Amino acid sequence: TLTCLDLSIGTMRAAGIEHFFPVFASNPQLTNFNVSSNQLGDSGVQKLATILQSNSTLTTLGLSDSRFGDPAIQHLAQALQL
């Protein structure tokens, strides 16, 4: 069973993050997801926030140096109900 997925220090962009949505669906025990130092931008982080709305097990999310701004932060906050 997959509990940790580290995809940090890559070149993933917004479109690439969608390919990992099935990972969340098929691994409900995933607790750590790290996409730090990628090029997700606002739209990639917003897409990630969408899938996080239905995830209740993730405890650690790495997004440092992923180049996103206030719009993405607002989506994340809503998804995580902060």
Side-chain angles (χ1 to χ4, degrees):
T1 54
L2 182 67
T3 59
C4 178
L5 183 57
D6 189 340
L7 301 170
S8 61
I9 311 175
T11 58
M12 188 182 333
R13 297 184 184 275
I17 196 71
E18 293 177 337
H19 296 287
F20 293 94
F21 290 178
V23 172
F24 283 92
S26 62
N27 292 284
Q29 66 282 358
L30 187 67
T31 59
N32 186 323
F33 188 58
N34 188 359
V35 286
S36 297
S37 299
N38 277 282
Q39 299 171 13
L40 299 177
D42 286 334
S43 63
V45 174
Q46 289 173 5
K47 291 175 183 179
L48 181 58
T50 300
I51 194 68
L52 292 177
Q53 289 177 330
S54 62
N55 181 287
S56 62
T57 59
L58 196 69
T59 58
T60 305
L61 176 62
L63 289 170
S64 64
D65 196 27
S66 290
R67 301 185 178 127
F68 58 91
D70 289 344
I73 292 170
Q74 290 173 339
H75 278 88
L76 277 174
Q78 289 172 347
L80 302 172
Q81 299 178 356
L82 297 176

